[in-house]
């Protein structure tokens, strides 16, 4: 009987442990925060530390433009206190979530950013410039401290550390990109407008703001001509999607391909290596510096 009882106990402990991992809403001692995609998730996690449970809504390895949540994913968000999203057309599916759930508060963290307009649309890729990420971090910190006042000091201290790291990153971008030999860099989709604006570079993209778009033969021909005319040695690919036209332009012109990460989501390989927003931003500036010199 005693043996049976201990087996029963062991099984129930096991069950309660696994349910702790999957059903986060059963841990009301910590605030639960959802972030709409990777860069917001990573910045939020750095400020929240161990005092809140932060979840990324978009699964790893998935390209977020035009992504839509499943009914189950929407239902999971109901249990959260806070949903952090970017707006600017990057995560417009969030509107559907907001009307379907009543639990969490929704905070748009791009408020206050001087955005770049392309025709009628806004370029959403603000997180790729350290200067704009400083604004995102501040808005995230405000959202966390307003919704979980008992941990205000803790969040503020983590935020100060993040600001230090982002300012260091900003300095690195300024220094490394200031005196490069050329200023023009070629990418697949126009994710790097904010780096170009904030650090004095000129981005040429093959498709528009979403990598879902098809590359037109005319644009590809134009880029090939530009590479030959300006004797450009490097072009950039995106690790998350590895767009094919980049490879064909490279073999046509002899230009070398370097990665420039849009940090819209991490590949499995990047996750296994323990990379985060800061490490990838450092890789980006080093690759840009190499390509432009
Ligand atoms: Zn993008």
């Amino acid at each position: 009987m005693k043996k049976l009882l201990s087996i029963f106990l062991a099984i129930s402990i096991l069950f309660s442990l696994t349910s702790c991992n999957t059903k986060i809403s059963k841990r009301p001692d910590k605030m639960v925060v959802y972030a709409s995609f990777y860069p917001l998730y990573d910045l939020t996690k750095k400020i929240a530390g161990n005092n809140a449970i932060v979840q990324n809504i978009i699964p790893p390895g998935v390209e977020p433009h035009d992504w839509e949540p499943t009914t189950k994913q929407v239902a999971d968000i109901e249990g959260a206190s806070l949903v952090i999203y970017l707006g600017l057309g990057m995560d417009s599916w969030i509107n559907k979530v907001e009307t379907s759930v009543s639990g969490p508060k929704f905070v748009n963290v791009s408020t206050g950013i001087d955005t770049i307009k392309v025709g009628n649309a806004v370029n959403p890729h603000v997180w790729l410039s350290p200067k704009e990420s400083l604004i995102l971090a501040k808005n995230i910190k405000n959202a966390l401290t307003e919704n979980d006042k008992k941990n205000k000091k803790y969040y503020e201290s983590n935020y100060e550390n993040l600001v230090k790291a982002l300012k260091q990153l900003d300095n690195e971008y300024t220094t490394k990109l200031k005196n490069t030999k050329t200023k023009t860099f070629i990418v697949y989709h126009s994710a790097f407008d904010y780096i170009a604006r904030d650090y004095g570079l000129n981005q040429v993209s093959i498709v528009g703001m979403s990598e879902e778009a098809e590359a037109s033969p005319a644009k590809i021909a134009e880029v090939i001509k530009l590479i030959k005319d300006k004797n450009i040695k490097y072009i950039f690919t995106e690790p998350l999607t590895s767009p094919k036209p980049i490879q064909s332009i490279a073999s046509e012109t002899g230009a070398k391909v370097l990665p420039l990460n849009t940090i819209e989501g991490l590949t499995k390989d990047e996750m296994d290596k323990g990379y985060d927003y800061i490490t990838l931003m450092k890789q980006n500036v080093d690759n840009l510096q190499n390509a432009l010199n």
Side-chain angles (χ1 to χ4, degrees), residues 188 206-208 210-216 245:
Y188 188 63
I206 292 157
V207 293
S210 170
E211 53 266 72
E212 307 271 304
E214 282 284 316
S216 80

Side-chain angles (χ1 to χ4, degrees), residues 18-235:
T18 48
S19 68
C20 259
N21 283 339
T22 49
K23 282 217 161 162
I24 44 168
S25 54
K26 285 205 173 151
R27 295 176 60 177
D29 53 319
K30 284 189 184 181
M31 175 168 66
V32 176
V33 184
Y34 274 82
S36 65
F37 68 114
Y38 180 76
L40 300 185
Y41 161 76
D42 195 47
L43 294 175
T44 304
K45 218 159 58 102
K46 284 178 164 59
I47 302 171
N50 296 320
N51 283 11
I53 298 164
V54 184
Q55 301 278 323
N56 187 5
I57 299 178
I58 298 188
V62 174
E63 194 287 307
H65 287 280
D66 304 319
W67 182 84
E68 291 281 340
T70 63
T71 317
K72 180 175 180 310
Q73 280 164 327
V74 174
D76 286 345
I77 297 168
E78 179 69 67
S81 303
L82 200 59
V83 176
I84 303 281
Y85 70 100
L86 187 77
L88 313 177
M90 187 68 196
D91 41 20
S92 31
W93 49 267
I94 212 88
N95 299 331
K96 212 165 74 187
V97 181
E98 196 169 2
T99 53
S100 324
V101 300
S102 56
K105 188 177 167 190
F106 287 73
V107 180
N108 175 331
V109 293
S110 64
T111 306
I113 291 179
D114 178 16
T115 54
I116 296 172
K117 283 166 196 71
V118 184
N120 288 329
V122 170
N123 191 313
H125 302 88
V126 291
W127 65 91
L128 288 166
S129 163
K131 288 191 200 301
E132 315 308 333
S133 285
L134 277 159
I135 302 174
L136 295 175
K138 189 178 180 185
N139 289 334
I140 294 170
K141 181 264 293 173
N142 288 342
L144 294 182
T145 54
E146 277 162 28
N147 286 277
D148 185 14
K149 292 197 170 70
K150 69 176 193 301
N151 287 312
K152 190 170 189 274
K153 286 231 158 68
Y154 175 81
Y155 296 143
E156 279 171 350
S157 134
N158 286 346
Y159 168 69
E160 291 310 325
N161 289 335
L162 177 59
V163 167
K164 260 181 229 155
L166 291 175
K167 283 191 172 163
Q168 213 173 353
L169 206 55
D170 175 35
N171 276 336
E172 210 175 316
Y173 271 69
T174 305
T175 321
K176 289 185 170 171
L177 301 176
K178 193 164 56 185
N179 297 316
T180 54
K181 279 192 194 125
T182 54
K183 295 289 171 192
T184 299
F185 64 105
I186 296 165
V187 298
Y188 188 63
H189 88 290
S190 56
F192 305 92
D193 291 49
Y194 291 89
I195 296 184
R197 178 187 72 182
D198 293 351
Y199 303 95
L201 304 178
N202 172 33
Q203 172 197 251
V204 175
S205 72
I206 292 157
V207 293
M209 286 192 293
S210 170
E211 53 266 72
E212 307 271 304
E214 282 284 316
S216 80
K219 187 73 198 181
I220 292 177
E222 187 190 316
V223 169
I224 289 174
K225 187 174 183 301
L226 177 76
I227 292 171
K228 287 178 176 165
D229 288 352
K230 291 212 168 191
N231 197 21
I232 291 171
K233 297 273 189 285
Y234 295 93
I235 54 172

Side-chain angles (χ1 to χ4, degrees), residues 232-248:
I232 291 171
K233 297 273 189 285
Y234 295 93
I235 54 172
F236 289 105
T237 190
E238 301 171 8
L240 194 58
T241 52
S242 306
K244 283 200 183 71
I246 291 293
Q247 305 303 331
S248 44

